[in-house]
Amino acid sequence: MKSFVWQLPLTLALALTLQESLTGPAKSPYQLVLQHSRLRGRQHGPNVCAVQKLIGTNKKYFTNCKQWYQRKICGKSTIISYECCPGYEKVPGEKGCPAALPLSNIYETLGIVGSTTTQLYTDRTEKLRPEMEGPGSFTIFAPSNEAWAALSAEVLDSLVSNVNVELLNALRYHMVDRRVLTDELKHGTTLTSMYQNSDIHIHHYPNGIVTVNCARLLKADHHATNGVVHLIDKVISTTTNNIQQFIEIEDTFETLRAAVAASETLNRILGDPEALKDLLNNHILKSAMCAEAIIAGLSMETLGGNTLEVGCSGDVLTLDGKAIISNKDNLATNGVIHYVDELLIPDSAKTLFELATESDVSTSIDLYRQANLGSHLSGTEHLTLLAPLNSVFKDGVPYIDANMKNLLLNHIVKDQLSSKYLYHGQTLDTLGGKKLRVFVYRNSLCIENSCIAAHDKRGRYGTLFTVDRILTPPIGTIMDALKVDNRFSMLVAAIQTAGLTETLNREGAYTIFAPTNEAFQVLPPEELNKLLGNPKELADILKYHIGDEILVSGAIGALVRLTSLQGDKLEVSSKNTVVNVNKEPVIETDIMATNGVIYAIKSILQPPANRIQDQNTNLHSALEILRRAPAFSKGSQSSIRLAPVYVRLLERMHQSA
């Protein structure tokens, strides 16, 4: 056993070494983006890279595949230009960039890569230039000329007023006393600088962006005889405070504390440790994210498990589409702080009332207010609210009376549920005293006649289910529901005659397509009397109207085949909110009963056997007409020409008969 334990890592290591030797070491995201830029630029010659330049600025980016086709950075248009890839230069008269840059010391390389201002400030110090020109192995993250120019006059004055202390220390903080190439710049790593061993914070993002203390790496891996130069877009500075210390000493957050004191919602959250924890965790991303790394929309997960859409529009960062980030890239020792102008309250810290107010169910919430039932939505009861969409009320809102108030209570379930744990046949108790059934279909999850129309919103104590219609709890059995509706008096009599009353009164799960009185009245009197006078045939036809499961309208797709109690299939379909059964329109859906659901129709459905019999009757009539047709047309020359047609028709009809 011991030999196996030691052998497994060795075998794995050998396998990995073999794979690496065959495919080469895995490239970093930065290297992959650089490789893509090379591919896009190769038509212009060797070592040419395609870069995207943001119109109206000097900002340039090596391009990945997605950016190449979109031609946008942070929603702003870019133009493609072509330039020498890092480490190469043009040769007069030759295509592309065939020559490698001359290899020189770090000081000289600064001028070659476009950081002459760093050279200038290096000259101002007494000690640093000899070090950069001398022996050793160093890495410098060199600010571009534009980066130095962007410094405030106050900061620049403080540096140049004491060049052998402040300026020297600032430049040393940009340096590491060994060679560090981009393949070592891993996400979340720190490098030890040459200023008091202070940490430099590296982040390497999947989109190929690399940041150094949130400054973007512009061009990397410029080799020198005594090290390597990386060009960055900002002058970086040391940081000594962690996030908590930063917040405690920052005066700006006094405004936040004042806002908290004035807010009822926030006061509630502050008094609830669980909600407060969720609030704070919703402000913390699981990964440090510098602003320079955001060039398009990203879904970022918070410590609380929620998702924030972090995006950008030009130079403005956005959260969930809103430009509420007012101060970017405040670096701490354990992360990055961005100031936001709004609190990011997660659903898990909200009441049902707050969840619903911000969703497409605000009309429902107004009804609860009018009915003086709002306390259920803002209290600490563990509940689930079934809230119809606003579109349900497009034709008007119901009047609040005792019945409506009770119906609203029946939209509140006595438990905090999650839809993913609901199961078919489950019953749910409501505050109104009803038991609601759960129906699980292939593409729908329904509670009675209401089907869930959006993802759950789970709050501190309650969960919001958005549903597609007002729920109607069952009021009795199918027979009870038919008896109290005058439209079905003839159907009730037929059910009693056929001996099906007990079936539709007992426990079960049925869908009945119920013909109205009008459907019976359109039948010829003799046919109606014949039907009602034959209980067995009547029972057979009525059973064909009854499906052997509960199918609510929200679960009906293009076509559902429902087995009837008679044995044949019913074809139920829905298009543009109109339900049809066997292509006959339904005039009212979802009359809920304790043992099923009723659909009102204006016709009597015929089982397939009856339809075939009717077709045969018509066939025999047509056959008789065709038999006589030649006799009627003997004197006609055209009739003689048509005779073979009749013969063929007669043959077909005899075969089918």
Side-chain angles (χ1 to χ4, degrees), residues 359-372:
S359 304
D360 193 20
V361 294
S362 55
T363 305
S364 297
I365 301 313
D366 289 339
L367 291 174
Y368 280 94
R369 276 204 205 97
Q370 293 171 33
N372 295 318

Side-chain angles (χ1 to χ4, degrees), residues 352 356 365 368 377 383-387 411-413 463-466:
L352 268 173
I365 301 313
Y368 280 94
L377 307 184
L383 303 170
T384 298
L385 174 64
L386 312 179
H411 280 71
I412 303 177
V413 177
T463 299
L464 175 68
F465 286 177
T466 300

Side-chain angles (χ1 to χ4, degrees), residues 387-623:
L389 288 160
N390 289 339
S391 57
V392 172
F393 304 100
K394 63 181 183 298
D395 296 326
V397 295
Y399 175 73
I400 300 296
D401 56 15
N403 289 334
M404 189 61 200
K405 188 171 182 177
N406 192 54
L407 181 59
L408 290 173
L409 288 173
N410 283 320
H411 280 71
I412 303 177
V413 177
K414 291 180 178 179
D415 198 1
Q416 185 175 14
L417 303 174
S418 173
S419 62
K420 63 184 176 183
Y421 294 117
L422 297 180
Y423 57 88
H424 193 76
Q426 184 178 2
T427 58
L428 312 173
D429 293 318
T430 73
L431 292 185
K434 292 289 185 181
K435 286 189 177 294
L436 307 178
R437 295 159 297 180
V438 176
F439 304 119
V440 179
Y441 302 99
R442 183 177 298 276
N443 296 312
S444 302
L445 176 61
C446 306
I447 300 171
E448 293 299 336
N449 61 307
S450 299
C451 298
I452 294 176
H455 292 297
D456 305 0
K457 284 184 172 289
R458 188 175 179 86
R460 177 68 180 94
Y461 298 103
T463 299
L464 175 68
F465 286 177
T466 300
V467 295
D468 64 351
R469 65 200 69 204
I470 296 174
L471 182 143
T472 53
I475 56 173
T477 66
I478 289 175
M479 281 304 294
D480 293 331
L482 293 174
K483 285 179 180 178
V484 299
D485 193 327
N486 291 332
R487 294 178 300 172
F488 302 117
S489 59
M490 295 185 73
L491 174 62
V492 169
I495 290 170
Q496 292 168 340
T497 300
L500 295 176
T501 303
E502 184 181 347
T503 300
L504 298 180
N505 262 331
R506 68 187 178 207
E507 287 187 12
Y510 305 113
T511 297
I512 178 168
F513 296 94
T516 61
N517 294 341
E518 184 180 344
F520 286 94
Q521 289 163 353
V522 297
L523 290 176
E526 62 276 8
E527 189 175 333
L528 178 59
N529 291 334
K530 180 183 175 184
L531 180 63
L532 296 178
N534 188 338
K536 186 177 183 304
E537 183 181 346
L538 179 61
D540 196 52
I541 289 178
L542 291 179
K543 284 180 179 179
Y544 183 63
H545 289 71
I546 305 171
D548 64 355
E549 62 180 281
I550 295 177
L551 179 67
V552 298
S553 63
I556 301 172
L559 180 65
V560 177
R561 301 189 76 216
L562 193 63
T563 302
S564 72
L565 297 188
Q566 177 263 355
D568 288 317
K569 299 281 188 181
L570 293 160
E571 294 189 348
V572 190
S573 61
S574 179
K575 185 176 181 181
N576 299 327
T577 71
V578 176
V579 175
N580 289 276
V581 55
N582 291 0
K583 299 183 180 179
E584 295 290 338
V586 170
I587 60 172
E588 185 177 348
T589 64
D590 299 330
I591 304 170
M592 303 306 294
T594 55
N595 58 346
V597 59
I598 301 168
Y599 291 79
I601 58 176
K602 284 187 175 182
S603 58
I604 295 177
L605 306 175
Q606 293 294 327
N610 291 24
R611 293 200 296 270
I612 291 170
Q613 187 176 2
D614 290 343
Q615 289 168 2
N616 284 339
T617 301
N618 294 333
L619 187 64
H620 288 307
S621 299
L623 187 60

